[in-house]
Amino acid sequence: MRDCSTPNPTHPGAWWTWSLGLATAATRTTNPLLLALLITVTAYVVATNRTPTPWSRSYTAFAKLALAVLLIRLLFAIALGSPVPGTHTLLTLPEVPLPHWAQGIRLGGKVTAEGLAFAFYDGLKLATLLICVGAANALANPARLLKSLPGALYETGVAVVVALTFAPNLVADVQRLRAARRLRGRPDRGLRGLLQVGLPVLEGALERSVALAAAMDARGYGRTAQVPASVRRTTAALTLGGLLGVCAGTYGLLTAEGGVYGLPLLLLGVVAAAAGLRLGGRRTLRTRYRPDPWDARAWLVAGSGTTVAALLTLASVRDPGALTPGVVPLVAPTLPLWPAAAVLLGLAPALPTFKEPS
């Protein structure tokens, strides 16, 4: 049992807000120096705040996945070419002739430095997004995140949290089985090693799923309260109408013609969706034991990520050339000073005063 005198861990919603803020900042730039700085910030915050739990190992798995995505993007640029014209030819591959209906697509041909640079910038942006999501998975407790969801999203949240909890366990099982095979002098790499490790991992996952389903059924998961039909119809109308309003408002904000009605529609949609979720929560019979408080530490964590996203969005509007460096002509990217300083604000959760208590 947790000692009441010890400080509460950071609210999991704050960690997700922080990581999504950094991910939003990553979508506003293709500058590899800023993206590398974002990755460094997430790595340092995870290293200083994660606890010895199974899900804390997911950051390494997401980093490996991000590296694989970057390499695949570069391989596609080499094999399929790039839409960016270039003059610095690095190598020339044998080109496969394609029929006339496949115009615009090529296999092989010239590989230019400009095309590779464009593919690297694009792949690094996607890799940074994956690493930001991995940071949230490594820092936020899935069970505590489930407690913070509104009642209407509880059933969906259970499915998502179970999936997020099983993923780190699968990674831990793979590492454990590979270590056991190495101790016995058996290969753990290649196709044979993959099959002999993958089958026990799959078997353990199925056994864990059956045991979890039986435990959830015994504890009464899935029970719903009886609500009048009028309340159900009102909930569905508010939720659906709110989501449509959010979509229409967002579209209006992104277009020049819809700037007048975009913001009112967006706000009205958010209010309607929140009201629908509030009414939908009546169907779920659940209580909260020791609800997680949103304290000063949570405000700092969430605020730092939101500030980074807002400042990088402002920088992309005021100085788009610094955040999206061109590749034609091919020049070395430069590090813009004040956007880089804005990214460093994401290190606020690593301050000693606000570090995650162990």
Side-chain angles (χ1 to χ4, degrees):
M1 182 179 296
R2 188 182 68 204
D3 186 3
C4 295
S5 62
T6 60
N8 291 320
T10 306
H11 196 285
W15 285 123
W16 274 100
T17 305
W18 171 81
S19 64
L20 292 178
L22 296 186
T24 303
T27 62
R28 311 306 301 175
T29 179
T30 56
N31 191 317
L33 300 179
L34 287 177
L35 293 174
L37 190 60
L38 282 168
I39 294 174
T40 305
V41 167
T42 60
Y44 185 76
V45 172
V46 169
T48 55
N49 286 276
R50 66 178 176 182
T51 55
T53 52
W55 57 83
S56 65
R57 307 173 187 173
S58 59
Y59 183 80
T60 304
F62 273 88
K64 293 179 180 178
L65 177 61
L67 179 60
V69 167
L70 179 59
L71 293 178
I72 291 173
R73 182 65 179 89
L74 291 174
L75 289 176
F76 278 1
I78 294 173
L80 304 178
S82 174
V84 177
T87 57
H88 297 80
T89 303
L90 299 178
L91 70 154
T92 302
L93 299 176
E95 188 169 353
V96 179
L98 296 176
H100 67 279
W101 51 265
Q103 292 181 358
I105 303 174
R106 69 173 178 85
L107 294 176
K110 293 182 179 180
V111 179
T112 62
E114 290 84 354
L116 281 183
F118 177 79
F120 177 75
Y121 294 171
D122 191 45
L124 186 60
K125 183 203 295 191
L126 182 56
T128 306
L129 293 176
L130 290 173
I131 289 177
C132 290
V133 174
N137 279 277
L139 294 171
N141 187 330
R144 293 177 55 239
L145 180 63
L146 179 62
K147 292 199 316 181
S148 306
L149 290 177
L153 300 176
Y154 185 70
E155 295 177 355
T156 305
V158 169
V160 174
V161 168
V162 168
L164 292 177
T165 304
F166 268 53
N169 288 330
L170 290 178
V171 174
D173 288 345
V174 170
Q175 293 176 349
R176 178 175 54 82
L177 289 171
R178 290 184 62 186
R181 290 185 62 82
R182 285 195 298 268
L183 289 174
R184 291 176 174 86
R186 298 176 183 176
D188 62 329
R189 299 182 182 277
L191 181 59
R192 181 180 178 184
L194 178 63
L195 291 176
Q196 294 184 355
V197 170
L199 291 178
V201 169
L202 180 60
E203 182 182 0
L206 291 176
E207 292 178 355
R208 194 181 298 116
S209 301
V210 173
L212 179 62
M216 293 176 66
D217 184 64
R219 287 168 173 79
Y221 279 87
R223 293 178 303 166
T224 57
Q226 296 294 330
V227 294
S230 59
V231 175
R232 292 199 300 270
R233 288 192 292 267
T234 304
T235 300
L238 286 175
T239 304
L240 182 59
L243 293 178
L244 291 176
V246 169
C247 293
T250 304
Y251 177 78
L253 292 177
L254 295 177
T255 58
E257 295 80 6
V260 177
Y261 65 84
L263 185 59
L265 267 180
L266 179 62
L267 295 177
L268 184 62
V270 170
V271 172
L277 292 177
R278 181 74 176 179
L279 282 177
R282 296 184 180 182
R283 296 180 63 248
T284 305
L285 298 172
R286 57 188 294 260
T287 58
R288 289 187 175 91
Y289 177 68
R290 286 185 179 177
D292 291 321
W294 192 278
D295 52 10
R297 188 189 302 111
W299 281 113
L300 176 79
V301 171
S304 63
T306 306
T307 303
V308 172
L311 292 178
L312 263 292
T313 302
L314 178 62
S316 66
V317 175
R318 297 187 59 181
D319 192 8
L323 268 68
T324 55
V327 296
V328 180
L330 186 62
V331 293
T334 59
L335 182 65
L337 294 181
W338 78 267
V343 172
L344 292 178
L345 294 177
L347 290 172
L351 294 175
T353 308
F354 295 96
K355 285 172 63 175
E356 187 80 15
S358 55

